[in-house]
Amino acid sequence: MSVQFLVISGGELWLHGPDGASTQIVSPFATEMLQRETDRQRTTSWKHAEREGGQGLIGPALWGRGDGNASLTPPRFHHVCRAGDPRTIYYVLSVGRTIGLFRYHLDEQREIRLFHRQQTQILGLAYLPQTRHVVMAAMHGDGTAHLDVYDEEGTHKGSITHGDSIDAAPAAMPGAEATVVYQSWGLARNADSGAVVGIGHSAVHWVDYRAGEMDSLIDDAAWDHVAPRISADRVLYAIRRPADKPLHEKAGGAAKDALLMPLRLGKAVFGYLNVFSMLYGKEPLRSAGGPRAPQLDQDLGSLWLHGRRIELSKVRNDPEYAGNLVPGSWKLVAQAGRHAAAQEIASHVAQFDVLDDGSLLYSNGYDIWHWRGGEARKLARRELVEGLLGL
């Protein structure tokens, strides 16, 4: 069976065809923004040019203008979903601090910008074909996130969830006119200051925003259930992982932190001095120690995935990750009813999607698999899979 799908990989959006070939989707809006920024820097470069008799090292290094292009931020795709037309998609894209919602026609390679705004964090995107509405999860300044409804042209119609919670990852329920399934974390706040001091486990709920009804599908304090999807035959799929321990259960780590403080402080000071050694002496303080691949010494950083910070260094160093983007405790599960036992389908699952025929796409963050009838077939490999959508 041939499968066509979209992948968000390292912030880029790729279309994989049934023949295995892949094509990158490039946003004209992002290209235009970056070109305008390049032109602006070219016309104002005299303000940052080195002055006669000065080396110009301190200024550019401190203010991030050493190469004249430091302020250019590559565009990043965050979420993608299908529209009513199978060859049309919606996606959320950011360039710098600007983030927007777009509709894209695959066959015409035509992008339509619906809206863009500044400094807004979007936590999920879904399209409901019967109401022709787009549902997005948006963060607010008080730490909450709720689901908002827009029409196909990006006009805001209202919010459909409320409360002291982080609601994210909306998905349409097939066959239901205005019903969305989503994940939700409850928030705990300081009684005096109102600041968020804790986040509960992630439960799965549904809301029918036209009937004004909602209920819980999975709510287990021991587990997070994230990125929920429902198939046409009403099987609920989600990524299940152990819930974070409450703060009072982590209190025993204080003694360990105290013991490790000198080591951590020493590493921090060494890192600080190492940066200055590279700037001025062009040599690191750390010796090479023999031949090794360059990528082993670079800071691989981290990324946020379903509300968790993933330290990319653990991919190669932690046995629990075993070379995957997420640990083995992240499992793709299926539940045929509210009180039915969950069936484990795969481990190390970072992203997945349910296809129209009931089969599944899933990824460990690198390899992409097609699962059907209990058997999995590898389709492709990409770096840092952050989103997956079957077409």
Side-chain angles (χ1 to χ4, degrees):
M1 174 186 174
S2 60
V3 180
Q4 187 169 351
F5 56 95
L6 287 158
V7 181
I8 298 177
S9 171
E12 299 175 343
L13 183 59
W14 290 84
L15 173 65
H16 286 251
D19 58 353
S22 60
T23 304
Q24 185 177 3
I25 295 176
V26 178
S27 166
F29 171 81
T31 302
E32 181 182 349
M33 280 198 66
L34 293 177
Q35 184 59 50
R36 286 204 305 264
E37 176 65 13
T38 300
D39 294 340
R40 185 194 65 80
Q41 289 192 5
R42 185 180 299 114
T43 58
T44 60
S45 60
W46 61 272
K47 297 180 181 180
H48 314 302
E50 296 182 5
R51 299 192 177 192
E52 184 176 356
Q55 297 298 316
L57 175 62
I58 298 297
L62 289 181
W63 297 106
R65 295 192 294 263
D67 60 3
N69 291 315
S71 64
L72 295 180
T73 303
R76 287 193 65 86
F77 290 85
H78 298 275
H79 308 283
V80 61
C81 71
R82 288 185 290 178
D85 180 348
R87 299 295 297 170
T88 303
I89 60 175
Y90 288 94
Y91 53 69
V92 173
L93 167 78
S94 68
V95 186
R97 296 183 177 183
T98 300
I99 192 165
L101 174 66
F102 301 81
R103 185 169 63 244
Y104 189 85
H105 300 266
L106 292 170
D107 294 334
E108 306 167 31
Q109 298 183 2
R110 180 166 58 95
E111 179 188 72
I112 300 173
R113 177 174 55 87
L114 303 180
F115 65 78
H116 70 275
R117 56 184 63 152
Q118 295 287 317
Q119 296 179 322
T120 300
Q121 189 175 2
I122 305 300
L123 303 181
L125 177 69
Y127 178 80
L128 279 62
Q130 291 183 273
T131 58
R132 299 171 69 176
H133 284 161
V134 177
V135 179
M136 288 201 312
M139 288 288 295
H140 306 301
D142 61 355
T144 63
H146 299 126
L147 305 185
D148 293 326
V149 175
Y150 297 81
D151 65 18
E152 290 183 304
E153 301 307 315
T155 302
H156 186 240
K157 311 300 288 186
S159 299
I160 60 174
T161 62
H162 308 274
D164 213 7
S165 61
I166 300 176
D167 304 328
M173 181 180 290
E177 180 180 351
T179 302
V180 179
V181 296
Y182 62 99
Q183 68 189 51
S184 182
W185 290 278
L187 298 179
R189 295 184 182 272
N190 182 280
D192 297 322
S193 67
V196 175
V197 295
I199 299 178
H201 63 283
S202 176
V204 176
H205 305 305
W206 63 265
V207 57
D208 183 335
Y209 59 88
R210 285 202 164 166
E213 299 175 348
M214 65 180 302
D215 201 356
S216 174
L217 292 173
I218 302 178
D219 191 347
D220 187 337
W223 302 97
D224 277 340
H225 289 84
V226 297
R229 300 288 185 270
I230 288 189
S231 64
D233 57 356
R234 291 294 191 271
V235 176
L236 173 64
Y237 296 89
I239 297 173
R240 186 185 68 191
R241 66 192 183 193
D244 270 343
K245 292 182 178 180
L247 292 179
H248 69 273
E249 294 185 21
K250 295 182 177 181
K256 177 182 176 182
D257 290 340
L259 290 174
L260 291 177
M261 184 178 294
L263 175 61
R264 291 171 176 168
L265 182 61
K267 290 175 65 177
V269 172
F270 179 88
Y272 182 81
L273 296 176
N274 191 55
V275 169
F276 275 82
S277 177
M278 291 291 292
L279 281 174
Y280 296 102
K282 307 300 181 184
E283 292 183 358
L285 295 178
R286 177 175 50 191
S287 61
R292 52 192 289 136
Q295 63 269 23
L296 293 181
D297 281 327
Q298 67 180 350
D299 180 13
L300 293 179
S302 61
L303 60 84
W304 284 90
L305 196 61
H306 306 304
R308 291 275 182 91
R309 185 180 181 183
I310 305 296
E311 298 288 349
L312 298 183
S313 60
K314 290 186 177 181
V315 171
R316 66 172 186 266
N317 296 329
D318 193 329
E320 176 63 16
Y321 285 72
N324 303 282
L325 186 59
V326 295
S329 57
W330 290 41
K331 299 181 183 297
L332 174 57
V333 298
Q335 193 163 324
R338 183 167 184 174
H339 302 292
Q343 172 194 357
E344 294 183 5
I345 296 174
S347 301
H348 298 284
V349 176
Q351 299 288 347
F352 79 97
D353 192 27
V354 181
L355 304 184
D356 290 338
D357 63 358
S359 62
L360 305 173
L361 290 173
Y362 70 87
S363 174
N364 61 4
Y366 300 98
D367 298 313
I368 300 166
W369 301 79
H370 180 223
W371 182 91
R372 186 177 187 181
E375 297 184 358
R377 176 172 62 95
K378 184 177 175 180
L379 299 179
R381 181 175 176 85
R382 300 215 69 91
E383 290 297 314
L384 300 181
V385 175
E386 302 170 64
L388 192 58
L389 175 69
L391 296 177

